Amino acid sequence: MEAPNTTNALSNTHSSEQPSSLTELSSSSLAVPSESPGRGEGRGRGHSKSRGTTRGRGDRKNRRDVGRSEWARKSGDRRARNDAAQESDKRQRLDDGTPVRKPVYAVDFSKEEIEGEERRPKRKVAVMIGYSGSGYKGMQLNDKEKTIEGDLFKAFVAAGAVSKANADDPKKSALVRCARTDKGVHAAGNVISMKLIIEDPNIVQKINDNLSPQIRVWGIVRTNSSFSAYQMCDSRIYEYLIPSHCFLPPHPESYLGRKLLELAEEAGDLEGYRQRQEEVATFWEDTEEKYVKPLLETLDPYIRPLVLNALYHNTPADEEEGLRLDSRTRSENNGPAKTTEAVETERAADPALPSTTRATEGTSSVPLSQSPNSDSRTHEADLEQPAASSDVEDPALHRPSAIETALRTLRHALITAKNRYRLPATRLSRIRSVLALYNGTHAFHNYTIGKTPRDPSAKRIIKSFTLATAPIIINDTEWLSLTVHGQSFMMHQIRKMVSMAALVVRSGCPEGRVLDSYGPAKMVVPKAPGLGLLLERPVFASYNVKGVGEGRAEVGFAGWEDVMGEFKQREIYERVWREEERDRTRLTAIGRENVTDEISFHVMFSNIDNLKSTQLLYLSSKGMAACEDDGDAGLARVKGRKDVVVEGESEDEEGEPEDG
């Protein structure tokens, strides 16, 4: 696809280099008096004349004497300081003789190749891109990991859009991203600004020829020399896909399900709680009658209590103990473990055995779980995992216990029932009502990491948060499309906002709990899986208004809507479903405690419902008062199990908007 024609000419004037201003700043801010400073002078104390000239805590006090904008100008660009620090570290390694490992995205050319290349002019441009983040360690360049920008840069070099002399470092081409997305997060539309060689009219096609189908360049447009995809972006629009079953209430026998009912009664809100859950009041009862009871009747009476405890409200350690108990009983009754040949012989002799044992080998063996459009061959292929070492037990030699087999079959049946759930109009209306509470300017300190209620940077503007009119049906599972339009977003913010909305609705919680989250109280908000998040597009309204008047092309995605829609369906929507289905199949086969990849929706809400901690009980009718008795520093970890409800914190890059 050819880039749209533009009529503006790019100025060859270059802006001043940041390192020079940084050097001037450093020389002034790090200056020391000619006399030896007394004790405390280096910390902003002592002689008054030394204040502002020494670096330390005194600087913090000086910051209060000036406005934020003035302080930012005096402090220099943070990105430039980081670049300078990295360059200094590189020089130090060279001086020490330590080998410097080149980034994975760097392309090496010999000196002769570089000198023999014809020099061609570079132009400042905006590059419109789309990508599926599956299999990538995020958007941002990483020296050691595969990223979207890394693959893009190598494609630019291969297509001749970046010269051989600049092929080892994207900074030479002034690469700046509009919005960083995290691992596994997708983008139908994103923008990067940089200097490229774009004389070739087929440059877009050549770049795409060097990219995987997961990444597409939609087009390239000329900009003015000062354009920055990050600085010039007015707002960003994200979409989040979430299955409808995430809004089902916790099972009444789960820890959270029991506590919600108990606390509603204590707060005198039992009638209100039941009204908020009226449209789903009989879901679990109907599901058990249709799916669970017929399977339970086929089990031996002595293992039924163990299976039900493990299925609904046991901790992982309790479930493992039950499995060990069943394993000991089976060993005492049956003797030592059987060989593969013995197992196959027993299967052939016992016609009832395959119906329970084969349920662990794939999804097609369980009739209750067979969806109309599912493909058992795909599921079986997804279950194939290479052995990590020779110590891993051969699955062919492991005969699942009766409890293991029953758990897998029952889990499969329950997940199938949830996938077939369709949200009624009243539930959809409540979701829209909760999402609308995010609109406006609020302190979202509870929806990110490392922010306090008084931190000005925690205040963000949400222009709209809407639910699509028509759900999306993918292989008999209903998905909802949520769209949020905001000026900027903090680390994990969108994923936590989605999670909070789902938790409020599914828990029968008063909607005002969302408003409470903007207050000073600290709330633990799990983040929803990154699987469903995608950047729809950034908006450059202010730049485009000025640019059109000056004869420049707009920075945006007009003209590419059709190909972007096809790309979203093929590379994003279908991929999201396949990955969720893969995790669902693995959850059925090996249990939720052993899923170590990016958690799926089933895994997330299953763990939330069964995690024995009071820190999520603000979802009850008692609100934050229900959390006061918990002295833990974080969500409870059950007997050494890794906490998969709230994942580890990670640092944001330069305060940039991210995946939410």
Side-chain angles (χ1 to χ4, degrees), residues 26 217 415 608:
S26 301
V217 172
I415 290 174
I608 285 176

Side-chain angles (χ1 to χ4, degrees), residues 38 57 122 139 143 170 188 219 251 302 308-309 361 375 495 503 519 539 559 563 576 579 635:
R57 292 185 182 178
K122 297 183 294 184
M139 166 73 173
D143 289 356
H251 191 278
Y302 85 96
L308 287 175
N309 283 339
E361 299 174 358
D375 185 349
R495 293 163 66 182
L503 290 172
V539 179
V563 290
V576 167
E579 293 184 12
L635 279 177

